[in-house]
Amino acid sequence: MVMDKNAKIYVAGHTGLVGSAICRKLKKEGYNNVIGKSIEELDLTRQALVEEYMNAEKPEYVIVAAAKVGGIHANSVYPADFIGINLQIQTNLIDAAYRSGVKKLVFLGSSCIYPKLAPQPITEDALLTGPLEPTNEWYAVAKIAGIKMCQAYRIQYNFDAISAMPTNMYGPYDNFHPTNSHVLPALIRRFHEAKKTGAKEVVVWGTGTALREFMHTDDLADALLFLLNNYSDIPHLNVGTGIELTIKQLAETVKEVVGYEGEITWDTTKPDGTPRKLMDSSNLHKLGWKPKVGLKEGLTEVYKWYQENYNV
């Protein structure tokens, strides 16, 4: 089913990293009835408020991009927030979407749903086959519950709910907090500040050997629009580039993009997280979708955005 350009589309989390990219993509493609509410306007953890909003607005499509997110440090310090808030948000949205007559819902998860030592590249059927990475299991358990809820509502109610599991994302509107951000925005901030202050070195957590895959949010938004128009089935789908690099290679690339001339020092007393995380996105690619934004090109654009939007 191809979405009508006038269909009302509710993007939950429309101001965030992923949500803002989805809104940009929809508007660029001519969808002129995209709606959203900020966290101040609508508390998604409150079931009655979510139900009231969905019944009043009656969107035809819902994209669940709202979530409590953060890196290793944040997950370690705020485990109750990461499991509780995410369970509340997604439960309220999925249930209210079904009850208010939404045609189709897309739930966004994360690659951290997979076991820490899942065979690489990670296929969708690796889900629930082993223990999770302890540093983000609270967030992962909530996201797994979201996938299962979408599947259960499809089985029991014939509700067209699908789930997409993106790899590590980056893009404009990311969280560049010095301690509570993900690795890529944290590196951009750290290298920029070191360049600005003339620091001789930048300290990066871990050994630098961990392997990761990164995708620009514009590519994810493009993939989600593709799925809205081309996919309706029970299995969740991985959304990634299929290209991996070490954190050391990533740090060197960010250093080059920022123009920092000092040294990189590795703090090996800090955790690496999952040793390798590459998604097998071949099921999505077989449907006809492919990523378009290269890492260096994407990083250059994000660094420009960071300079223009942060007080740097």
Side-chain angles (χ1 to χ4, degrees), residues 246-295:
T246 65
I247 296 297
K248 184 174 189 296
Q249 289 171 310
L250 176 68
E252 295 286 357
T253 306
V254 173
K255 176 184 170 182
E256 183 186 343
V257 165
V258 170
Y260 173 67
E261 313 238 315
E263 298 298 316
I264 299 173
T265 304
W266 297 92
D267 182 355
T268 55
T269 65
K270 296 292 193 294
D272 276 329
T274 307
R276 184 189 183 204
K277 195 159 70 175
L278 174 65
M279 306 257 277
D280 183 334
S281 300
S282 58
N283 285 330
L284 171 60
H285 297 170
K286 279 177 205 161
L287 292 174
W289 181 85
K290 295 284 193 302
K292 300 176 183 76
V293 184
L295 182 66

Side-chain angles (χ1 to χ4, degrees), residues 24 50 57 86 94 103 108 162-163 182 188 199 281 288 308:
R24 287 195 305 274
V50 175
E57 287 290 345
N86 284 306
I94 294 166
K103 282 184 185 173
L108 272 174
I162 63 172
S163 298
H182 286 111
I188 289 174
S281 300
E308 289 169 355

Side-chain angles (χ1 to χ4, degrees), residues 216-269:
H216 196 286
T217 50
D218 287 353
D219 271 338
L220 175 59
D222 188 55
L224 293 176
L225 181 55
F226 176 86
L227 290 173
L228 274 165
N229 286 320
N230 295 282
Y231 184 76
S232 289
D233 208 346
I234 284 185
H236 66 280
L237 283 179
N238 290 342
V239 183
T241 63
I243 301 162
E244 65 185 336
L245 73 166
T246 65
I247 296 297
K248 184 174 189 296
Q249 289 171 310
L250 176 68
E252 295 286 357
T253 306
V254 173
K255 176 184 170 182
E256 183 186 343
V257 165
V258 170
Y260 173 67
E261 313 238 315
E263 298 298 316
I264 299 173
T265 304
W266 297 92
D267 182 355
T268 55
T269 65

Side-chain angles (χ1 to χ4, degrees), residues 46-65:
R46 298 289 172 256
Q47 184 181 8
L49 296 179
V50 175
E51 287 177 354
E52 183 184 337
Y53 177 72
M54 297 289 266
N55 286 326
E57 287 290 345
K58 294 285 184 190
E60 292 176 65
Y61 299 91
V62 172
I63 301 170
V64 182

Side-chain angles (χ1 to χ4, degrees), residues 71-288:
I72 292 172
H73 174 79
N75 272 268
S76 304
V77 179
Y78 310 110
D81 287 355
F82 279 90
I83 193 166
I85 291 172
N86 284 306
L87 282 171
Q88 288 171 325
I89 288 171
Q90 65 204 35
T91 301
N92 293 342
L93 285 168
I94 294 166
D95 187 69
Y98 161 67
R99 293 184 189 282
S100 64
V102 166
K103 282 184 185 173
K104 188 168 190 174
L105 176 141
V106 181
F107 172 71
L108 272 174
S110 161
S111 55
C112 72
I113 61 164
Y114 293 114
K116 176 175 181 171
L117 300 176
Q120 302 286 331
I122 308 170
T123 55
E124 287 90 349
D125 59 10
L127 183 66
L128 296 175
T129 58
L132 299 164
E133 162 58 49
T135 55
N136 57 22
E137 66 177 336
W138 318 105
Y139 179 75
V141 166
K143 288 296 178 183
I144 292 167
I147 295 170
K148 292 299 173 188
M149 190 166 177
C150 287
Q151 293 173 345
Y153 273 58
R154 179 179 286 276
I155 293 165
Q156 187 170 335
Y157 301 127
N158 203 28
F159 179 44
D160 192 2
I162 63 172
S163 298
M165 299 300 115
T167 187
N168 299 301
M169 304 306 309
Y170 71 99
Y173 300 93
D174 208 338
N175 169 20
F176 290 88
H177 190 279
T179 54
N180 288 350
S181 59
H182 286 111
V183 60
L184 203 153
L187 287 174
I188 289 174
R189 179 176 179 141
R190 224 170 288 165
F191 280 111
H192 175 81
E193 289 178 350
K195 175 186 168 185
K196 191 176 160 190
T197 59
K200 291 197 167 95
E201 66 170 11
V202 168
V203 179
V204 184
W205 278 25
T207 62
T209 57
L211 287 157
R212 290 292 181 274
E213 173 187 22
F214 294 93
M215 187 165 73
H216 196 286
T217 50
D218 287 353
D219 271 338
L220 175 59
D222 188 55
L224 293 176
L225 181 55
F226 176 86
L227 290 173
L228 274 165
N229 286 320
N230 295 282
Y231 184 76
S232 289
D233 208 346
I234 284 185
H236 66 280
L237 283 179
N238 290 342
V239 183
T241 63
I243 301 162
E244 65 185 336
L245 73 166
T246 65
I247 296 297
K248 184 174 189 296
Q249 289 171 310
L250 176 68
E252 295 286 357
T253 306
V254 173
K255 176 184 170 182
E256 183 186 343
V257 165
V258 170
Y260 173 67
E261 313 238 315
E263 298 298 316
I264 299 173
T265 304
W266 297 92
D267 182 355
T268 55
T269 65
K270 296 292 193 294
D272 276 329
T274 307
R276 184 189 183 204
K277 195 159 70 175
L278 174 65
M279 306 257 277
D280 183 334
S281 300
S282 58
N283 285 330
L284 171 60
H285 297 170
K286 279 177 205 161
L287 292 174

Side-chain angles (χ1 to χ4, degrees), residues 24-38:
R24 287 195 305 274
K25 177 65 178 176
L26 289 169
K27 282 165 188 172
K28 184 181 172 187
E29 296 296 327
Y31 294 92
N32 53 30
N33 198 0
V34 180
I35 60 169
K37 284 277 186 185
S38 69

